[in-house]
Amino acid sequence: MAAEIVNPRSDSDSDAGTEQEAGTEPLDSFDPAFALHRGGKMAVQATVPVRDKDDLSLAYTPGVAKVCSAIAEQPDLVHDYTWKSSVVAVVTDGTAVLGLGDIGPEASLPVMEGKAILFKQFGGVDAVPIALNCTDADDIVETVVRLAPSFGGVNLEDISAPRCFEIERKLQERLDIPVFHDDQHGTAVVTLAALRNAARLSGRTLGELRAVISGAGAAGVAIAKMLVEAGIGDVAVADRKGVVSADREDLTAVKRELASFTNKAGLSGSLEAALSGADVFIGVSGGTVPEPAVASMAKGAFVFAMANPNPEVHPEVAHKYAAVVATGRSDFPNQINNVLAFPGIFAGALQVRASRITEGMKLAAAEALASVVGDDLAADYVIPSPFDERVAPAVTAAVAAAARAEGVARR
């Protein structure tokens, strides 16, 4: 079976379920987004024919019994004779959906379907949306563990912090398949790739840069960790109360850990103060950064204002002071888009049946993504387009190679 990236509706059923109360119009009649989503965005398609009794006897009983018995005797055969090694569960509880927040599992489904078709479109990976009607971390972990035999990997999606950190960690401990929280690591991979190229464009290395991150949630924490792993000179992270520093007494366990490996300069106080002389601003929090704070950054700075739909620094303002500007929006150059990372990362991990996704695999993905830009590097092109057909193969190959090098590949 395979997830099909088309809407399953046909001309004969396109009006099904459109009855409206008297005097009202179908939502489809005035909004193309509703028209596109009617009936959902994906379907399930068989990969083998069932045309006659011989086909039926092979695809189902009695032929299927032979395969089941073989798997029972040799469990690893499940990877060869089922879809397990090529399908990912996209799991959410609907508590941190895009810019919508806690909207619940049902309302999250259009986003999860969208994620699934992006897996297929950009990585050739089948994915199944699973929206859970529970928010307790242990309940989510237990549910996913019970579902895991059907899947080759788990992509955690739109789960609010700080629970997302605990859920990912516990699932990684209990499962022997890749578990990946895209809001954290996908964002971090693409950010690092863009920053590597921005540094290359300016003739600098990551080790020469001081970065400031606005936002200490899932994305901010993961970006900070990855930048440190990649050798950034220094990085400070700010939350609503200012720079996360070891001398603060109001830190959560996650932020205490964050303070232990960031902010070598010992900064404290506001985000605006921390930006003075900084080389890099990375926004993953929303809000607005005042123009004077942007103006106080170092000459030739980079501004990655990734909040959607309103960047923390509008590109028109950022371009006054920054050498490279990136956002999370598709209508400006240098879009930091997770779709550049997660399809290829999972494709590479599944290709070698990796037991997990390591830091080395994520770093390899960032390097491969950055390399796609090549000699075309420019201030308005430090990261490739999601529609660049070179992206997924490059990331897939790099992740598979890194998995083998780190000893987590099983084929």
Side-chain angles (χ1 to χ4, degrees):
M1 307 283 277
E4 188 178 28
I5 54 170
V6 296
N7 191 302
R9 60 178 180 255
S10 66
D11 291 340
S12 62
D13 67 7
S14 61
D15 293 327
T18 61
E19 294 84 357
Q20 302 289 314
E21 295 181 7
T24 65
E25 291 289 330
L27 293 172
D28 301 23
S29 66
F30 59 87
D31 192 321
F34 282 94
L36 182 142
H37 282 77
R38 180 171 291 282
K41 298 192 292 291
M42 57 186 293
V44 173
Q45 175 179 298
T47 60
V48 296
V50 185
R51 298 161 300 197
D52 51 37
K53 65 181 183 65
D54 292 331
D55 288 344
L56 182 60
S57 69
L58 288 173
Y60 201 54
T61 186
V64 73
K66 297 178 182 179
V67 180
C68 292
S69 298
I71 294 172
E73 293 178 8
Q74 300 181 56
D76 281 350
L77 291 178
V78 70
H79 298 285
D80 297 314
Y81 295 105
T82 73
W83 78 341
K84 179 179 174 72
S85 281
S86 61
V87 67
V88 170
V90 180
V91 178
T92 189
D93 63 358
T95 55
V97 179
L98 294 175
L100 303 174
D102 186 354
I103 60 174
E106 288 87 356
S108 76
L109 268 176
V111 177
M112 300 309 116
E113 287 183 3
K115 197 76 173 190
I117 66 174
L118 295 179
F119 264 109
K120 186 67 172 179
Q121 179 72 34
F122 293 102
V125 174
D126 291 315
V128 177
I130 298 177
L132 302 179
N133 189 23
C134 58
T135 57
D136 178 78
D138 287 335
D139 287 345
I140 292 172
V141 170
E142 290 299 328
T143 302
V144 175
V145 167
R146 287 175 169 82
L147 290 169
S150 295
F151 299 99
V154 175
N155 185 86
L156 299 173
E157 190 76 21
D158 293 349
I159 299 173
S160 63
R163 293 175 310 118
C164 60
F165 303 112
E166 177 187 1
I167 290 166
E168 183 187 43
R169 176 180 56 78
K170 287 183 175 180
L171 285 173
Q172 288 172 337
E173 290 171 353
R174 294 184 59 180
L175 297 177
D176 65 347
I177 58 176
V179 177
F180 186 83
H181 185 209
D182 187 50
D183 300 324
Q184 293 184 60
H185 311 300
T187 306
V189 165
V190 183
T191 301
L192 174 58
L195 187 56
R196 281 192 181 281
N197 277 339
R200 179 164 70 93
L201 182 66
S202 67
R204 288 178 285 178
T205 66
L206 289 178
E208 297 175 77
L209 303 177
R210 178 170 74 84
V212 177
I213 299 173
S214 174
V221 170
I223 291 169
K225 287 182 177 179
M226 183 157 283
L227 292 185
V228 170
E229 286 280 343
I232 192 82
D234 195 9
V235 56
V237 183
D239 61 12
R240 291 183 180 88
K241 297 182 179 179
V243 174
V244 174
S245 56
D247 60 351
R248 279 179 48 181
E249 298 180 355
D250 61 342
L251 300 181
T252 63
V254 171
K255 291 180 183 178
R256 283 197 299 273
E257 181 190 3
L258 184 63
S260 71
F261 64 83
T262 61
N263 194 18
K264 295 177 185 176
L267 301 175
S268 59
S270 68
L271 166 72
E272 290 81 3
L275 281 175
S276 179
D279 302 293
V280 184
F281 168 75
I282 297 171
V284 284
S285 67
T288 302
V289 177
E291 184 171 344
V294 181
S296 75
M297 294 178 68
K299 185 178 180 181
F302 312 139
V303 171
F304 291 6
M306 299 188 288
N308 266 317
N310 300 310
E312 294 88 348
V313 183
H314 194 279
E316 290 182 2
V317 174
H319 277 297
K320 294 181 184 179
Y321 311 102
V324 175
V325 176
T327 72
R329 288 173 45 159
S330 60
D331 54 345
F332 293 109
N334 296 328
Q335 184 191 20
I336 307 297
N337 191 329
N338 288 11
V339 76
L340 288 162
F342 69 82
I345 289 174
F346 268 99
L350 294 175
Q351 185 181 96
V352 298
R353 293 182 192 166
S355 58
R356 59 192 176 97
I357 295 173
T358 66
E359 291 301 314
M361 291 161 72
K362 289 181 279 187
L363 289 171
E367 291 172 6
L369 181 55
S371 71
V372 170
V373 170
D375 294 337
D376 295 324
L377 181 64
D380 62 354
Y381 184 55
V382 297
I383 198 76
S385 162
F387 296 99
D388 188 324
E389 295 181 354
R390 299 171 296 171
V391 168
V395 174
T396 299
V399 168
R404 291 190 177 101
E406 300 212 333
V408 295
R410 290 177 287 196
R411 72 171 180 186

